[in-house]
Amino acid sequence: MHPTAGPSAYPHTRPRPVHWLATAAALAAVVTGAALAGPGDATATTPTTHATAPDPQTAHYPLDCHGAGPQVTDRAQADLDGDGRPETAVAVRCASGGGTPPSGVYVLASPHPDGTAPRIRATLVDPRQRMTVTGLTAAKDTVSATVSGYSGPGVPRCCPDLRTAVKWRWTGGKFTVTTPPVARSA
């Protein structure tokens, strides 16, 4: 049998204050070095500007509201074209006391050079199509919404009877519909 070696047999294996000080000094050197080195070039491609999305309340919409004025019913913001500046997708209709006025869906970009109002970058749904838009969202390069319409002229204007989810994707410098809206009705 071999005699068991106790702690006194190997004095270099017992932690002493000098070991703890050496470990603390090495750890401090690593942390300081990492802090001084920073994140490196990984942040060089990240945009540093924090542009604000266009305000839909200040835009001018191509609606003929006969004096009632436009009403923003939904909005969503995202950098849709990948230029580092957010756009605003907005659903707008004429203000009305009753019925369901048709909606328009527009994508607003940064203001004109004169800075007075955001410019309309694209029209996704024209109010002349006589559709109602709800559930507008925007993410990355896609605008999504639920679009409701009418199956025929006999359907009351208060109660659209056709509904579908629609998506538009920014591709090749323009928005392309990936799911077409409901058929236009008279």
Side-chain angles (χ1 to χ4, degrees), residues 62 104-107 120-129 168 175:
V105 176
Y106 306 98
V107 175
I120 294 178
R121 176 81 181 261
T123 300
L124 305 180
V125 174
D126 189 313
R128 291 178 289 191
Q129 293 174 291
W168 299 268
F175 284 97

Side-chain angles (χ1 to χ4, degrees), residues 15 24-25 39 53 59 85 117 135 141 178 181:
R85 294 176 300 209
D141 62 353
T178 60

Side-chain angles (χ1 to χ4, degrees), residues 128-131 150-151 162 181-186:
R128 291 178 289 191
Q129 293 174 291
R130 304 183 55 80
M131 293 187 227
Y150 305 93
S151 59
L162 299 176
V182 293
R184 186 176 135 190
S185 60

Side-chain angles (χ1 to χ4, degrees), residues 24-142:
L27 183 60
V30 169
V31 170
T32 302
L36 291 175
D41 290 338
T43 59
T45 58
T46 304
T48 57
T49 59
H50 297 288
T52 58
D55 180 5
Q57 299 298 337
T58 61
H60 301 288
Y61 302 101
L63 297 172
D64 184 12
C65 294
H66 305 290
Q71 175 186 20
V72 174
T73 59
D74 211 345
R75 72 181 82 191
Q77 301 169 343
D79 180 9
L80 297 167
D81 59 8
D83 67 353
R85 294 176 300 209
E87 286 78 32
T88 301
V90 60
V92 181
R93 66 182 186 190
C94 292
S96 172
T100 308
S103 301
V105 176
Y106 306 98
V107 175
L108 305 177
S110 54
H112 289 287
D114 63 9
T116 57
R119 60 189 167 88
I120 294 178
R121 176 81 181 261
T123 300
L124 305 180
V125 174
D126 189 313
R128 291 178 289 191
Q129 293 174 291
R130 304 183 55 80
M131 293 187 227
T132 302
V133 177
T134 58
L136 187 68
T137 63
K140 198 176 174 186
D141 62 353
T142 304

